[in-house]
Amino acid sequence: LGETKKDDVYSTDHMSKWARKGKAPAGFEYLEPTLEALEQELRDKVNEGHEGKRRVESLWPVHQINWQRSRYVYDMYWRYGKISKEVYDYCIRNKLVDGPLMAKWRKPGYDRLCSTYVINPKNYNFGTVSICRVPKHALGEDQVVECPTTGCRGCATGSGPRNIFGNKYGQFLARVQIKREQKQEAQQRKKRKRDHEDEEADKADGADKADGADGGSVVGKERGPTIWGTPGDDAASDDDDDDGPMPQQEGEEA
């Protein structure tokens, strides 16, 4: 089995994300808070102690956060159309995301791939790939799937759990963000409707409506919410299929 070194994954060249070249295109600010939160999370995980963990486990967050932020940008472009191709390419060009991994997701059979490391035969004995790439039907009934390099529990297409890491780094953050935005928009619509009804009622009663009674706050607006879905948060549920083929975009490169 090939060995991943910490410096190979978390090198200065690859991970100095915010020393960007050139001005960010319009629309990048939509992604930036989540990307910055993930960058800080990665730094914290790299710097924390590894007592009680196997050596390979200390690298799992590096692979998993790399997957999560790449998937976040990927889904925001391909699935939800929230960012432009210019923003998407900017993220890849400045290594804010894993371009080679994202390119693999566009190819049949690789849409759930956890890392390009696990499909490189040079990293494994006998020229094979990681166990997480083996379809469920080809495994033993009670066989436990856990990639020793990434912690992936199964990323073969049509096989394995939707959350391939079984933790918060396996969540689809684009979906979490979109769901929260939709919830906030619905709450704001309700507030505007309620304010309008109150205003009409005040007019009918000849009463003056107090200006700024709510201090200009927005009902339901979250104060610094975590970027990850929380227990009971429908945005983090597994009901929707976020792993299926992405819609084709004009001018797409294979």
Side-chain angles (χ1 to χ4, degrees):
L1 177 64
E3 182 179 358
T4 305
K5 296 179 180 179
K6 198 171 197 176
D7 291 342
D8 293 339
V9 182
Y10 195 79
S11 65
T12 301
D13 177 65
H14 180 68
M15 304 305 293
S16 56
K17 306 296 184 184
W18 310 108
R20 299 187 295 267
K21 296 179 181 179
K23 183 179 179 181
F28 177 74
E29 66 278 1
Y30 181 71
L31 305 176
E32 195 161 14
T34 295
L35 292 179
E36 287 183 337
L38 287 171
E39 180 69 5
Q40 185 59 53
E41 178 79 6
L42 180 58
R43 291 195 188 102
D44 292 344
K45 288 298 179 181
V46 168
N47 293 329
E48 74 177 11
H50 305 306
E51 293 79 8
K53 295 181 182 179
R54 291 175 292 167
R55 183 177 179 182
V56 292
E57 286 184 47
S58 66
L59 284 173
W60 286 2
V62 177
H63 287 284
Q64 293 174 6
I65 294 172
N66 178 67
W67 178 92
Q68 188 169 57
R69 69 171 156 220
S70 299
R71 193 79 205 193
Y72 170 69
V73 173
Y74 183 87
D75 285 348
M76 281 299 190
Y77 177 66
W78 291 110
R79 178 167 291 279
Y80 298 109
K82 288 288 187 177
I83 60 173
S84 66
K85 184 69 160 57
E86 185 180 8
V87 171
Y88 185 78
D89 289 343
Y90 174 84
C91 292
I92 295 174
R93 186 170 62 252
N94 286 279
K95 297 184 178 179
L96 307 185
V97 292
D98 190 333
L101 177 60
M102 294 162 80
K104 279 293 183 184
W105 288 336
R106 299 298 298 165
K107 298 182 181 297
Y110 293 95
D111 53 287
R112 287 166 42 85
L113 181 65
C114 66
S115 170
T116 54
Y117 183 95
V118 303
I119 57 172
N120 187 345
K122 294 180 180 179
N123 295 327
Y124 299 91
N125 295 331
F126 312 111
T128 57
V129 295
S130 173
I131 189 173
C132 66
R133 293 297 301 162
V134 180
K136 188 175 182 180
H137 65 79
L139 297 168
E141 184 176 349
D142 298 322
Q143 187 166 357
V144 176
V145 176
E146 183 179 84
C147 174
T149 302
T150 68
C152 177
R153 300 183 177 187
C155 61
T157 297
S159 179
R162 180 173 176 274
N163 184 323
I164 62 175
F165 302 124
N167 57 29
K168 68 179 183 179
Y169 302 134
Q171 291 181 8
F172 293 81
L173 295 187
R175 180 173 186 265
V176 172
Q177 183 172 330
I178 295 297
K179 289 288 187 180
R180 285 177 175 169
E181 289 173 356
Q182 292 173 344
K183 183 178 180 180
Q184 287 186 6
E185 289 171 2
Q187 291 173 328
Q188 289 169 357
R189 286 195 299 270
K190 289 180 180 178
K191 180 181 182 299
R192 287 193 295 268
K193 181 180 179 181
R194 186 173 64 249
D195 288 348
H196 176 72
E197 291 173 347
D198 289 346
E199 185 176 354
E200 292 300 313
D202 287 344
K203 287 179 180 179
D205 294 338
D208 293 330
K209 183 176 176 60
D211 293 332
D214 62 356
S217 63
V218 177
V219 173
K221 184 173 183 180
E222 300 180 50
R223 296 182 179 179
T226 174
I227 61 173
W228 294 279
T230 56
D233 185 350
D234 62 352
S237 73
D238 293 346
D239 294 340
D240 291 354
D241 176 17
D242 277 85
D243 299 328
M246 301 294 120
Q248 203 77 5
Q249 295 265 344
E250 184 178 354
E252 171 195 354
E253 294 181 2

